[in-house]
Amino acid sequence: MLDNHIPHPGIPHTEVDMSSEHAVIVGAGAAGWSAADTLVRSGWPGRVTIVDPAGATNRTLVNKGVLTGLLTREQLSRPVPTGTDLLQDEVEAIEEDGTVQLRSGGRLAPDAVVIASGSVPRPASFEADAGTPRSRILPLHSADDAERVRRLLPQGGGRVVILGAGLVGSETASLLADAGVGVTLVARSSLPLRDQLGPAVASELLRRHRDRIRVRTGRSVARATTRSSSAVIELSDGETLEADAAIVAHGTLAHRPASGSDQGAITVDARLRTGLRGVYAAGSVASILARGTAIRVDHWDDAAAQGAHAARSILHDLLGGADPGDYGFDSGFSSRIHGSMLTAWGVATDRTEWSRHVEGAAVGVGRHLGRVTAVAGLDAPLVVRDLATSASRDLRDPMSLYPTGV
Ligand SMILES: Cc1cc2nc3c(=O)[nH]c(=O)nc-3n(C[C@H](O)[C@H](O)[C@H](O)COP(=O)(O)OP(=O)(O)OC[C@H]3O[C@@H](n4cnc5c(N)ncnc54)[C@H](O)[C@@H]3O)c2cc1C
């Protein structure tokens, strides 16, 4: 079964039976869709099968579309890439030789597998009745979750407590406030998103939150309970918050398709290879080992870029295509929060050193070992774009930024 990372040298071209090439992609989200599309567009000579019980969906619209009522759950679906097949089944395990076991009992024996099974919400870190059918304490990861939260809110209003002020928590707070919902945002950190965006942008974002919604920073949750018609949140300092629903926005954990004992992200090398021959992983299920540091990113564009990179590695390893080189974290994301446009590029870790781009501007530049690896800005998309473009040009060997032990 899929285990820890052991780099493999790739499969020589001569071993491949050109008549039976088959690639299986596990998951049709950002990474899986992009891996399949890249394979087909780059001339993969055989079949490409995407296995996903839910079909292809765009998770970024769960809060922006379904929670707000602008879209139905069906409208999150998108067609699979032209030239690929969708198998609506669930992968239960991937064996040592790459054989894929399906929940339906079927087995596939492909030449290459890309695991792109995404993530699950990180469970609540406090005592809660989340997970019971009548619970009003819910994650916000799927269309189901969004519909459940919507059903708990009275038309055009209501109150929601959001537990966690990361990107999804912050954006959702803004979306609900726009919809007339009374929002309280609770964060354990005194400056949420400091590590991801840098202090200049994080503090400006916090100011925007405080202007529009109730905010409790530097507080943790002691207990969350569902009463007959409300969620009751007890904070560590003794304050009690009551709302129609509480959203647990504590980020995500990697979701492995295999039901075995292995847990956590799948570690891959810089070409997105797992330790199993012919098996690759991409997107939020993967943790990329870059010279000793494992980096897991959960953003749409980065997942799509990883999927494409895994496909290019397959074409290189199996068919002698061009070597795609090491994966570089060269993607960005944007989000509209309280009417301001947050844009960011690159990847920041808790070791990133942030500085303000110019005095007075909410633009942060993150450096690792002296080189720019992350940029973030509020209402400064062109500045962020220009800084990102020049940083991207400089990062000719991005993996050299993360030497062993750093
Ligand atoms: C509410 C919300 C809003 C977001 N907004 C943004 C945003 O604005 N910008 C941004 O950059 N990111 C956003 N994100 C994050 C973004 O959605 C993810 O980073 C991205 O979807 C990750 O892509 P992925 O391919 O790794 O996983 P996913 O897109 O989640 O896809 C994983 C797929 O694998 C399938 N799968 C799981 N297990 C199996 C199995 N055993 N067999 C077969 N298939 C399986 C699932 O059904 C799913 O379709 C948001 C996330 C959430 C929850």
Side-chain angles (χ1 to χ4, degrees):
M1 295 292 166
L2 192 63
D3 205 347
N4 291 332
H5 167 79
I6 310 159
H8 69 81
I11 302 169
H13 190 185
T14 48
E15 283 184 26
V16 176
D17 174 1
M18 297 295 283
S19 64
S20 64
E21 261 146 25
H22 185 198
V24 167
I25 315 293
V26 184
W33 198 99
S34 167
D37 189 50
T38 304
L39 279 176
V40 171
R41 284 175 190 271
S42 307
W44 174 255
R47 284 180 297 148
V48 177
T49 304
I50 307 180
V51 185
D52 195 318
T57 54
N58 183 342
R59 193 175 297 288
T60 67
L61 299 175
V62 161
N63 59 348
K64 298 171 215 38
V66 181
L67 181 67
T68 56
L70 290 172
L71 298 176
T72 63
R73 57 185 304 136
E74 291 75 24
Q75 288 172 310
L76 302 198
S77 299
R78 55 182 192 152
V80 292
T82 307
T84 67
D85 300 316
L86 174 67
L87 186 59
Q88 288 203 257
D89 204 329
E90 193 176 333
V91 170
E92 284 209 322
I94 294 159
E95 296 171 5
E96 293 281 346
D97 64 356
T99 299
V100 175
Q101 288 177 21
L102 301 174
R103 178 172 283 275
S104 63
R107 289 163 73 82
L108 303 170
D111 302 281
V113 180
V114 179
I115 303 172
S117 47
S119 61
V120 287
R122 188 188 294 276
S125 55
F126 46 84
E127 194 188 322
D129 57 21
T132 60
R134 56 178 283 279
S135 179
R136 288 174 176 263
I137 300 145
L138 303 164
L140 185 59
H141 194 69
S142 64
D144 272 354
D145 299 334
E147 286 180 346
R148 284 181 70 193
V149 174
R150 254 182 92 68
R151 279 198 295 271
L152 293 173
L153 295 178
Q155 190 79 30
R159 291 166 304 162
V160 168
V161 176
I162 299 179
L163 305 169
L167 287 165
V168 170
S170 292
E171 185 183 73
T172 303
S174 166
L175 289 164
L176 289 174
D178 290 347
V181 176
V183 178
T184 306
L185 186 62
V186 178
R188 197 167 17 199
S189 165
S190 55
L191 184 54
L193 289 168
R194 188 210 170 282
D195 288 348
Q196 295 90 333
L197 304 176
V201 175
S203 50
E204 188 55 31
L205 193 59
L206 183 56
R207 199 178 65 77
R208 309 273 160 109
H209 281 313
R210 289 196 198 284
D211 284 349
R212 256 188 113 217
I213 58 175
R214 283 208 300 173
V215 179
R216 301 287 184 268
T217 52
R219 322 277 178 93
S220 52
V221 176
R223 203 142 57 106
T225 324
T226 295
R227 299 227 178 108
S228 57
S229 59
S230 65
V232 178
I233 312 299
E234 294 168 46
L235 300 184
S236 48
D237 62 356
E239 184 180 2
T240 297
L241 305 169
E242 197 164 350
D244 299 293
I247 295 172
V248 181
H250 283 180
T252 62
L253 299 174
H255 171 64
R256 288 184 178 226
S259 49
S261 57
D262 292 339
Q263 298 289 321
I266 299 172
T267 305
V268 291
D269 70 11
R271 284 169 178 74
L272 308 196
R273 302 163 176 146
T274 70
L276 298 182
R277 206 172 168 82
V279 181
Y280 300 72
S284 53
V285 71
S287 186
I288 301 178
L289 195 58
R291 302 197 186 170
T293 299
I295 299 177
R296 174 178 174 264
V297 179
D298 195 357
H299 295 304
W300 182 269
D301 283 356
D302 191 80
Q306 287 188 31
H309 205 82
R312 287 188 210 103
S313 291
I314 290 171
L315 293 163
H316 166 67
D317 293 347
L318 273 71
L319 301 178
D323 182 354
D326 287 349
Y327 180 73
F329 297 91
D330 192 10
S331 300
F333 63 85
S334 62
S335 175
R336 182 160 283 280
I337 301 178
H338 303 309
S340 285
M341 182 54 81
L342 170 68
T343 42
W345 167 88
V347 65
T349 70
D350 55 2
R351 288 157 196 261
T352 302
E353 288 167 20
W354 286 94
S355 58
R356 201 184 272 271
H357 175 51
V358 283
E359 213 39 57
V363 177
V365 176
R367 289 184 172 78
H368 187 85
L369 299 180
R371 291 209 279 177
V372 176
T373 59
V375 181
L378 208 54
D379 291 330
L382 299 182
V383 180
V384 170
R385 186 198 62 190
D386 291 348
L387 288 167
T389 305
S390 88
S392 173
R393 222 179 289 124
D394 291 346
L395 293 180
R396 291 207 186 83
D397 179 15
M399 292 307 175
S400 67
L401 292 167
Y402 302 98
T404 307
V406 172

